[in-house]
Amino acid sequence: MLHAPATPRRPRPRRVPTLEVLDIRAHPGGLDAIDLQALWERLEDDGLTRHVFHDGSVADAEAFIAFAGAPGRAFYAVYADGDPAALFWLDGRAGRSARIHFAVLRDYFGSPARIIGFYVTDWLLSVSGSDGRPLIEVLVGVTPRTNGAALGLVRDLGFTVLGTIPHAAPMANGRSTGAVVSYLTRNKEE
């Protein structure tokens, strides 16, 4: 069982990130419960948990660890020169498409987020199966319309926005907001 620290964590001073070496680590395998606990703490320190888990379904480290290992979910973290920089997961696989969820830690907002986002999407769309065919041809995003920063990143990364589904994004307060649906294809001609 994981416990919250006895004393409140102090905010880290903002630092200038370096992106010389980006490393994607999967759970399970490259990320264990201790790594996931540290990722959760960074999300909390950065004030991002309520944005990433806008529906309130993940409220503590234990739930986050269970969430990362849920069946049907492929969970990853991106490290920049050994420092956690972002996390993402895939679910909702259908054929050669998957729904992507992406969160960037505060130190990597702005231009670094775009670099990491291109790295992640290029990597995901280039992975091939044992038959040599791509595992994923289309990444699908479903983003609350109230999250302007995420929507900006979606557009910066080249996703095509299809539209907004009213009330499709549940919020922790019991309300809902529109969900902006977007996609990015492996082959731009399709």
Side-chain angles (χ1 to χ4, degrees):
M1 182 167 186
L2 301 172
H3 298 342
T7 58
R9 289 181 300 279
R10 292 189 343 231
R12 293 178 327 280
R14 182 148 167 83
R15 64 180 193 77
V16 177
T18 59
L19 299 175
E20 292 178 20
V21 177
L22 292 176
D23 177 29
I24 295 175
R25 302 179 192 174
H27 174 72
L31 296 169
D32 60 19
I34 293 169
D35 297 321
L36 293 170
Q37 170 85 26
L39 283 170
W40 176 259
E41 290 172 4
R42 289 285 295 268
L43 284 169
E44 279 192 325
D45 288 348
D46 287 356
L48 298 174
T49 55
R50 67 185 174 93
H51 297 291
V52 175
F53 300 103
H54 55 85
D55 63 355
S57 62
V58 178
D60 59 33
E62 287 183 64
F64 180 66
I65 292 166
F67 173 87
R73 179 169 295 125
F75 188 92
Y76 305 89
V78 179
Y79 287 76
D81 301 310
D83 185 45
L87 51 115
F88 65 98
W89 62 93
L90 300 175
D91 57 21
R93 295 266 326 249
R96 294 193 187 278
S97 71
R99 193 170 53 225
I100 185 171
H101 310 266
F102 191 69
V104 178
L105 296 172
R106 191 164 301 280
D107 288 343
Y108 297 89
F109 280 9
S111 180
R114 288 187 291 283
I115 293 167
I116 293 167
F118 282 122
Y119 182 79
V120 165
T121 56
D122 287 349
W123 179 75
L124 287 169
L125 294 172
S126 69
V127 175
S128 296
S130 58
D131 62 359
R133 295 179 60 192
L135 290 177
I136 299 171
E137 298 257 8
V138 180
L139 296 170
V140 177
V142 180
T143 310
R145 72 171 173 79
T146 54
N147 191 336
L151 291 171
L153 184 59
V154 162
R155 288 182 178 95
D156 287 349
L157 296 179
F159 279 73
T160 300
V161 173
L162 294 174
T164 302
I165 302 171
H167 302 287
M171 305 305 277
N173 63 7
R175 301 184 124 186
S176 60
T177 189
V180 177
V181 179
S182 60
Y183 71 92
L184 180 69
T185 62
R186 182 174 184 273
N187 183 348
K188 301 293 183 197
E189 283 75 49
E190 291 182 19

